[in-house]
Amino acid sequence: MAQVIGVSESSLKRWADGGRLRVTRTMGGHRRIALQEAVRFVREARLPLVKPELLGITRIDSLPGAPRKVTADNAPELLREFLEKGEADHARGLLVDLYLKGKSVAWLCDGPLKHAMYQIGELWHNDPNGIHQEHRALDVCVQALSYLRVLLSNPPSPDDEPRPVAIGGGPAHDPYVLGSLASSCVAAEAGYHDINLGANLPLDSLVKAAQEHDARLAWLSCSSHDAMPSPKQIDALGEELAELGTRLVVGGQASPHGGGQSENVRVCETMAEFSAFAGGLVLA
């Protein structure tokens, strides 16, 4: 870890002993730092990564053909270019680089990811290669977000209170996986133990899963207008979850704008809104 951020081991031990860097102890008394804790510390302290490869992280500026600098302004177009070409390492490196520099997962989803996937989703209108490029881009996005999810999933120590559970997926007959995966990542960043049930999930299965895991929060990611549950079905789902003490968040490009009749249903139009609402429940 000292090599990763370019400091002395004595400084690192002092930060650990002072509580700034969370460590566990081995049987021999040595300090052990989880990967996720290392990432949290680097991100919150705004420290440069001198040797990120020691954490298994590929710095984007070390990849051939990569831009010299990634910024919030050029990130959307850079990501679109990487996804269109199927350059998985570059796409993952870009997202990780922005995250380590302090951008939230919600910002990544609402900004670069949304922009890039929308642009690629329009290619098929004028380019016969557009369909396979969109499928390839989706796979790259799933890989990149799955990697970020690993960095966010810091297991609690035995002395910690367990994280509240957030659980969700996409409704039945909705085949899209990206929205639910992104919701899972946002929930993890907000402080939850996240359980992503994926696409094509019957609503009654979501209720059963929420009950089994004693979930505080459930999400329903709706990407297909054809598979979107009716307002009556969503309200009924919200009431069933309310009996379990579980709040329901509905979102996605096919979700309705505005709330329904159930007070237990919250419609979020952006990942930033979902993140704020989820974070508020953790603190409640």
Side-chain angles (χ1 to χ4, degrees):
M1 181 64 185
Q3 294 180 55
V4 168
I5 57 178
V7 300
S8 66
E9 288 189 26
S10 60
S11 294
L12 205 63
K13 291 176 181 177
R14 186 171 62 254
W15 292 335
D17 294 342
R20 288 186 62 194
L21 180 62
R22 186 171 170 177
V23 299
T24 57
R25 293 277 182 170
T26 66
M27 292 294 292
H30 298 290
R31 299 169 183 82
R32 175 174 289 163
I33 305 166
L35 169 64
Q36 295 85 353
E37 173 61 12
V39 169
R40 181 204 65 79
F41 181 69
V42 166
R43 186 170 180 267
E44 292 186 3
R46 297 290 195 274
L47 294 170
L49 287 178
V50 179
K51 293 185 177 180
E53 64 275 7
L54 296 180
L55 294 181
I57 295 173
T58 301
R59 191 163 51 197
I60 188 170
D61 58 10
S62 68
L63 295 171
R68 295 182 62 184
K69 187 175 183 180
V70 174
T71 67
D73 291 332
N74 68 10
E77 276 304 306
L78 286 175
L79 183 60
R80 181 201 59 77
E81 179 182 335
F82 296 152
L83 293 178
E84 191 173 329
K85 295 178 180 179
E87 296 177 338
D89 288 343
H90 288 71
R92 185 179 74 173
L94 182 146
L95 293 178
V96 171
D97 181 76
L98 289 168
Y99 178 72
L100 289 174
K101 289 177 179 176
K103 294 298 183 183
S104 69
V105 176
W107 184 90
L108 295 174
C109 293
D110 287 337
L113 276 170
K114 182 178 180 179
H115 170 87
M117 288 305 297
Y118 177 81
Q119 295 294 326
I120 291 173
E122 294 295 302
L123 289 176
W124 67 272
H125 291 292
N126 301 307
D127 185 349
N129 293 324
I131 295 178
H132 84 253
Q133 287 176 332
E134 181 179 1
H135 283 240
R136 184 177 62 188
L138 175 62
D139 180 61
V140 171
C141 281
V142 168
Q143 291 182 52
L145 279 179
S146 296
Y147 183 76
L148 273 178
R149 190 182 180 196
V150 170
L151 299 183
L152 291 163
S153 302
N154 195 13
S157 73
D159 299 330
D160 282 342
E161 289 290 327
R163 288 184 169 195
V165 172
I167 193 166
H173 311 298
D174 189 329
Y176 297 99
V177 300
L178 193 59
S180 188
L181 176 57
S183 299
S184 186
C185 292
V186 170
E189 186 179 38
Y192 290 84
H193 170 58
D194 60 303
I195 302 175
N196 179 25
L197 300 176
N200 197 20
L201 178 71
L203 299 186
D204 60 341
S205 293
L206 178 57
V207 175
K208 292 175 183 176
Q211 182 177 23
E212 177 182 341
H213 295 281
D214 191 23
R216 184 178 299 180
L217 176 68
W219 72 80
L220 190 66
S221 177
C222 304
S223 300
S224 170
H225 291 278
D226 294 335
M228 178 68 197
S230 68
K232 185 176 180 179
Q233 288 175 308
I234 290 178
D235 283 341
L237 174 63
E239 292 306 305
E240 286 188 82
L241 290 170
E243 294 178 5
L244 304 175
T246 306
R247 295 297 303 271
L248 174 63
V249 173
V250 180
Q253 63 181 8
S255 67
H257 297 288
Q261 298 299 315
S262 173
E263 294 182 357
N264 195 48
V265 178
R266 175 67 177 265
V267 176
C268 291
E269 298 183 16
T270 65
M271 285 295 180
E273 188 178 347
F274 175 41
S275 177
F277 179 75
L281 284 183
V282 170
L283 298 174

